[in-house]
Amino acid sequence: MNIGKVMLSSPFVVAPMAGMTDTAFRRLVKRHGGCGLVVTEMVSSEGLVRGIDRTLEYAEYTEEERPVSIQIFGGDPDKMAAAAQIVEGMGADIVDVNMGCPVPKIAKHHAGCSLMKEPEHAARVVSAMTKAVRIPVTVKMRAGWNDRSRNAPELAKMIEDAGAAAVAVHGRTAEQSYSGLADWDLVSRIAADLTIPVLGSGDCIEPEQVVERMHQGVRGVLVGRGVLRNPWILAQAADLAAGRPPRQVTLQERGQFLLDYIGLLLNERVDERAGFRHVAPGTDAPPAPAQGRERWVINKIRALCSWYSKGLDGGSHLRARVNTASTLSELRDIIDAFFFRLPAGSDSINKPAAESRSEETARA
Ligand SMILES: Cc1cc2nc3c(=O)[nH]c(=O)nc-3n(C[C@H](O)[C@H](O)[C@H](O)COP(=O)(O)O)c2cc1C
């Protein structure tokens, strides 16, 4: 599958998720295979243009993540074009526009999903960007703002005409937020209408569902919460798509993922060789970790565990324990006890599926 001239080795994509899909997490998912593209957390166009350190950090990525798409949000065509140029200057493969975020803080500034309420303006944003950069410009949208305005099909066509190289659609409205189910029929209709690739997003929790959705006319599937629960889901979907049984993941491997994530987060920017990290032009990545790094890492693990623990036997127990950890060594001990010290005779393959019935009792 191609997006513009960018070749994706797999149609399965790590969806952008604010606070979650940082460079460390993306690297780990990518290492497991099956992943054709990663998308960064959404990054403010305003922050990029003004050179705000925190914003620039969100956009950083490393070479092993390629191809990488940096998602930006904003509503001003000139600023979005300037931000796209910064993204291009960082060497990213794709720049993606967020037209799906329903959060008022974002949406009230004519950004995120509120762009869907102003389709002509949204198309102007895309047009300004496609004129400003040579890398592909893509858009991620929802079904519409609300049930009275499910205008993704019309907007997607306008976006295509404005020069976008691909469109991803999460089949819920902004008002729905995450309630109900994603409307994949709508996604299919858009895919049938457009010449550029259309990717779908929503409710793929099992690898079988990821593969199944490929039969709905889309050229790719973005997986969000499913990757947070099971970072192997794209690799397992690739196994299934190739006619192989999906790889089994042991409980120890799941524990190791968390330890590796802690390791990468702790060492972000520390001892990295020159050129390892792609940063905005003119930015020098500080060599030492920021103050309060341990607390930041603990918070990151807590955030991930609220998803990662779902469906694991004893997952709610793990979640509660992780939320009480106040140091990294405590956190490592909790991970060690949960994932590596199995009672004799227990099954070390633990597949996060539907919430386990025995969850509350298994590890109490
Ligand atoms: C914690 C979280 C953060 C998200 N952040 C973003 C974001 O920054 N940009 C975006 O376009 N979508 C964002 N999304 C939406 C996802 O990319 C995806 O479209 C949505 O979750 C539906 O897919 P899923 O059912 O596979 O999770 C976010 C979703 C979650 C759960």
Side-chain angles (χ1 to χ4, degrees):
M1 202 265 278
N2 273 50
I3 294 183
K5 290 200 177 111
V6 180
M7 226 267 285
L8 311 193
S9 60
S10 156
F12 309 135
V13 177
V14 176
M17 283 179 285
M20 309 307 299
T21 51
D22 51 62
T23 165
F25 184 81
R26 299 190 306 258
R27 259 176 276 165
L28 288 178
V29 174
K30 186 90 195 194
R31 284 176 197 172
H32 294 310
C35 168
L37 178 71
V38 296
V39 189
T40 64
E41 315 176 53
M42 61 177 176
V43 179
S44 154
S45 57
E46 186 82 35
L48 279 180
V49 171
R50 287 209 261 139
I52 294 171
D53 289 347
R54 199 60 209 264
T55 309
L56 297 172
E57 268 180 53
Y58 287 140
E60 290 174 6
Y61 66 94
T62 59
E63 197 58 28
E64 68 178 294
E65 294 167 47
R66 281 197 197 282
V68 63
S69 167
I70 296 182
Q71 187 187 66
I72 63 175
F73 68 89
D76 180 84
D78 293 339
K79 281 209 184 106
M80 288 291 276
Q85 284 173 336
I86 294 169
V87 166
E88 183 170 57
M90 290 179 71
D93 300 286
I94 293 170
V95 57
D96 185 53
V97 184
N98 181 317
M99 292 195 193
C101 184
V103 176
K105 197 170 79 178
I106 308 287
K108 76 176 178 210
H109 295 296
H110 304 280
C113 200
S114 67
L115 278 172
M116 294 195 75
K117 293 199 266 189
E118 307 171 88
E120 282 82 19
H121 182 71
R124 271 199 296 280
V125 167
V126 173
S127 173
M129 291 171 67
T130 54
K131 288 195 182 90
V133 294
R134 283 193 298 268
I135 55 172
V137 176
T138 61
V139 171
K140 179 161 177 285
M141 62 176 71
R142 283 189 174 238
W145 182 260
N146 59 24
D147 257 349
R148 293 176 300 287
S149 172
R150 297 172 74 82
N151 65 340
E154 299 79 34
L155 179 62
K157 197 89 193 97
M158 291 167 74
I159 295 296
E160 175 173 67
D161 294 342
V167 172
V169 183
H170 171 201
R172 286 188 177 85
T173 64
E175 269 184 16
Q176 265 184 298
S177 189
Y178 288 92
S179 64
L181 290 175
D183 181 350
W184 276 85
D185 290 340
L186 181 93
V187 177
S188 292
R189 283 214 311 279
I190 298 170
D193 268 7
L194 264 54
T195 310
I196 56 173
V198 172
L199 297 91
S201 165
D203 306 335
C204 292
I205 298 297
E206 296 294 334
E208 289 79 5
Q209 295 169 315
V210 180
V211 178
E212 195 61 28
R213 289 305 184 193
M214 287 299 293
H215 300 304
Q216 296 212 224
V218 293
R219 304 271 277 280
V221 176
L222 275 67
V223 185
R225 292 165 294 178
V227 178
L228 302 179
R229 286 168 73 133
N230 171 20
W232 288 263
I233 188 173
L234 305 184
Q236 291 169 330
D239 286 338
L240 286 168
R244 296 184 296 263
R247 70 199 60 183
Q248 299 265 302
V249 183
T250 64
L251 203 51
Q252 288 88 341
E253 285 173 299
R254 291 192 192 278
Q256 193 57 47
F257 182 94
L258 289 178
L259 295 178
D260 291 345
Y261 188 41
I262 293 174
L264 285 183
L265 288 172
L266 267 184
N267 290 310
E268 285 291 11
R269 298 160 166 265
V270 184
D271 298 333
E272 286 177 354
R273 64 188 184 280
F276 175 75
R277 179 174 292 266
H278 292 267
V279 299
T283 314
D284 287 321
Q291 294 237 319
R293 163 82 33 152
E294 181 159 337
R295 170 90 343 234
W296 175 73
V297 174
I298 291 170
N299 287 340
K300 281 277 204 188
I301 299 299
R302 283 185 183 175
L304 178 61
C305 274
S306 69
W307 303 97
Y308 198 73
S309 60
K310 284 203 172 107
L312 289 177
D313 271 348
S316 60
H317 182 61
L318 171 68
R319 209 148 54 232
R321 296 287 320 278
V322 164
N323 285 341
T324 60
S326 54
T327 65
L328 275 178
S329 77
E330 253 182 82
L331 195 56
R332 285 199 182 96
D333 285 347
I334 292 166
I335 293 169
D336 185 54
F338 186 90
F339 292 98
F340 295 93
R341 280 189 256 140
L342 296 176
S346 63
D347 185 359
S348 74
I349 306 280
N350 196 327
K351 179 166 169 277
E355 198 79 24
S356 164
R357 284 182 299 280
S358 58
E359 138 134 3
E360 294 306 325
T361 49
R363 287 180 180 269

